[in-house]
Amino acid sequence: MKLFLTLITGLATALFATGQTFSPQNSGVSSQLNGIDFSSPSVGIAVGNAGVIRKTVDAGLNWTYSGSGTSYDLTGVAYLNGSTYIAVGKNGTILRTTNGGTSWSLVNSGTTNDLTGIFVNGLNIYVTGTNGTILISTNSGNAWNPTNTGISFKLNKIFFVSDLIGYAVGDGGTILKTVNAGQGWNFLTSGTNTHSLTDIYFTDGNTGVVVGGIAGTNEAITLRTTNAGSVWTSNNISGIILSGVGFYPDNSVGYAVGGSYTGNTSVILKSTSQGASWTPVTSSSSRQLAVCFPGNGIGYSCGLNGTILRLATNTLDVEEQNTESDIQISPNPGNGIFYVSGELAGNFSIEVLAANGQRVALVENGNQIDLTAAPKGMYVAVIKSGSSVVTRQLVKE
């Protein structure tokens, strides 16, 4: 069944009114960004072509340089624990940081196959790649071992629903399943052998969603199972391809991202039914390639031309950063005029965000925040001083 998607002005207006929008952020680069992940709603890393890595500590509002030490395209990144992330890329590239992206170390992957995706599953980490590659690490990404998948198709992404049960998807409509933590893999019947399956997400042990497409004909596909992969139902969507899918941590809401392969325009689809149905969401950007949700109502996607989009339906999920800092806002609550006090070295700025993620005030080289014209409610102030970033919540009564 082919679904023809039309973005309707009335729908767009309704979505903007409720704050359900993905807003473009300035990544500071024009390189294609292929993967994105966050350790919290505020701190995350995006990776892209030519070894580009960007990092944020203020909920995606500002992105800064992180030197990868490689010129190979980076295709995926995953948060492990503490300040540790692992990035993967072409020619078997695996990079690891233990300081939140300040520096990266090259890890021997044991392969020169292009690596395409990464998934952290407790103590085990899994990486997919070309020629049916799946690598497994059991020691926080310091060493990697291949597992035999029995195929030569490129595998794009991998997802585990438990310590033992996981799925991998790839080109030629490939879906693989393991029930022994990746030591053995079995084919599942996807119902297609023409689509490249690019991402997968399970909301519970039985219910999963796969997205993909055919670039040559600009045709997307969504697949859904409710019986742990035994049967998949599919929908084709003309005029776009889909590259990424993800859900809130509570699995109540999910988004699939992609766009027109030929026109390089973005499409974002939303589901509140664990992927049973999808609704288009207003989006105006380049084609999106990956998406992640570090909190309910907080999401990020990335794509072509250095695009990073930010969803903030509930900015209150943004954690306060540098809570040990003496920087304070007073009076708090207040009736509209607030003052920032504490150690503010050199030039600093204060950016105030509403609950829908939109900027309501920007103060440069001053400590007074004027919200007299803003509605009553809770806001987040992002205070940047040199290389330090502090976020504080404030309430207007």
Side-chain angles (χ1 to χ4, degrees):
M1 177 178 65
K2 292 188 180 293
L3 303 179
F4 296 90
L5 301 182
T6 303
L7 297 179
I8 305 170
T9 301
L11 173 63
T13 302
L15 291 172
F16 273 109
T18 58
Q20 302 280 331
T21 59
F22 281 81
S23 302
Q25 308 300 307
N26 182 11
S27 70
V29 296
S30 58
S31 303
Q32 176 175 308
L33 297 175
N34 301 306
I36 191 166
D37 201 17
F38 275 64
S39 60
S40 74
S42 301
V43 181
I45 286 177
V47 301
N49 287 359
V52 165
I53 300 180
R54 307 297 287 176
K55 62 180 182 178
T56 180
V57 295
D58 59 2
L61 299 174
N62 295 278
W63 294 83
T64 58
Y65 169 84
S66 178
S68 68
T70 183
S71 59
Y72 286 113
D73 293 349
L74 299 175
T75 54
V77 62
Y79 170 68
L80 183 58
N81 54 46
S83 297
T84 301
Y85 291 79
I86 298 174
V88 301
K90 289 188 174 181
N91 198 45
T93 299
I94 296 181
L95 303 175
R96 189 171 181 270
T97 180
T98 58
N99 51 24
T102 300
S103 61
W104 295 81
S105 300
L106 183 65
V107 179
N108 183 14
S109 68
T111 182
T112 57
N113 289 329
D114 292 343
L115 304 178
T116 55
I118 179 169
F119 186 88
V120 174
N121 188 39
L123 298 177
N124 293 341
I125 310 169
Y126 298 86
V127 169
T128 53
T130 56
N131 297 314
T133 296
I134 292 180
L135 305 179
I136 304 175
S137 174
T138 58
N139 62 357
S140 300
N142 287 296
W144 297 86
N145 295 302
T147 184
N148 183 21
T149 60
I151 67 168
S152 59
F153 283 113
K154 180 178 73 170
L155 295 173
N156 295 309
K157 289 295 188 298
I158 193 165
F159 191 97
F160 273 74
V161 299
S162 70
D163 290 342
L164 298 177
I165 300 174
Y167 302 81
V169 297
D171 291 356
T174 300
I175 303 179
L176 304 180
K177 181 178 182 180
T178 181
V179 294
N180 57 7
Q183 299 306 309
W185 295 86
N186 297 313
F187 279 97
L188 299 181
T189 301
S190 67
T192 179
N193 59 11
T194 56
H195 293 78
S196 175
L197 304 182
T198 51
D199 205 358
I200 180 170
Y201 194 101
F202 271 73
T203 54
D204 58 48
N206 291 313
T207 307
V209 177
V210 172
V211 299
I214 304 174
T217 58
N218 214 26
E219 179 183 85
I221 192 171
T222 65
L223 302 170
R224 184 173 187 263
T225 182
T226 56
N227 53 15
S230 295
V231 177
W232 297 84
T233 57
S234 66
N235 285 314
N236 293 340
I237 308 170
S238 295
I240 63 168
I241 60 173
L242 293 173
S243 300
V245 63
F247 281 75
Y248 290 177
D250 68 1
N251 294 317
S252 62
V253 177
Y255 292 87
V257 301
S260 170
Y261 186 83
T262 55
N264 187 21
T265 55
S266 65
V267 165
I268 298 177
L269 307 179
K270 178 182 178 181
S271 177
T272 57
S273 57
Q274 295 186 314
S277 60
W278 298 89
T279 302
V281 174
T282 300
S283 171
S284 177
S285 73
S286 300
R287 180 162 54 90
Q288 297 300 285
L289 302 176
V291 66
C292 71
F293 296 95
N296 294 330
I298 300 290
Y300 303 87
S301 70
C302 64
L304 274 61
N305 303 318
T307 302
I308 293 179
L309 303 181
R310 178 177 181 268
L311 171 73
T313 60
N314 180 10
T315 308
L316 308 188
D317 279 344
V318 176
E319 298 174 354
E320 290 194 348
Q321 296 294 308
N322 295 341
T323 54
E324 295 180 357
S325 168
D326 70 344
I327 294 177
Q328 302 294 330
I329 297 178
S330 61
N332 194 11
N335 61 6
I337 300 296
F338 302 84
Y339 295 92
V340 177
S341 61
E343 296 183 4
L344 295 168
N347 295 330
F348 63 90
S349 65
I350 306 165
E351 188 172 24
V352 183
L353 308 175
N356 65 359
Q358 301 301 306
R359 176 195 289 175
V360 295
L362 176 63
V363 180
E364 296 181 322
N365 298 321
N367 72 330
Q368 177 181 295
I369 302 172
D370 186 352
L371 297 184
T372 54
K376 296 179 180 180
M378 189 171 288
Y379 297 84
V380 171
V382 181
I383 305 157
K384 293 193 297 182
S385 176
S387 61
S388 174
V389 178
V390 177
T391 61
R392 292 290 184 262
Q393 296 180 2
L394 60 96
V395 177
K396 179 184 176 183
E397 295 182 324

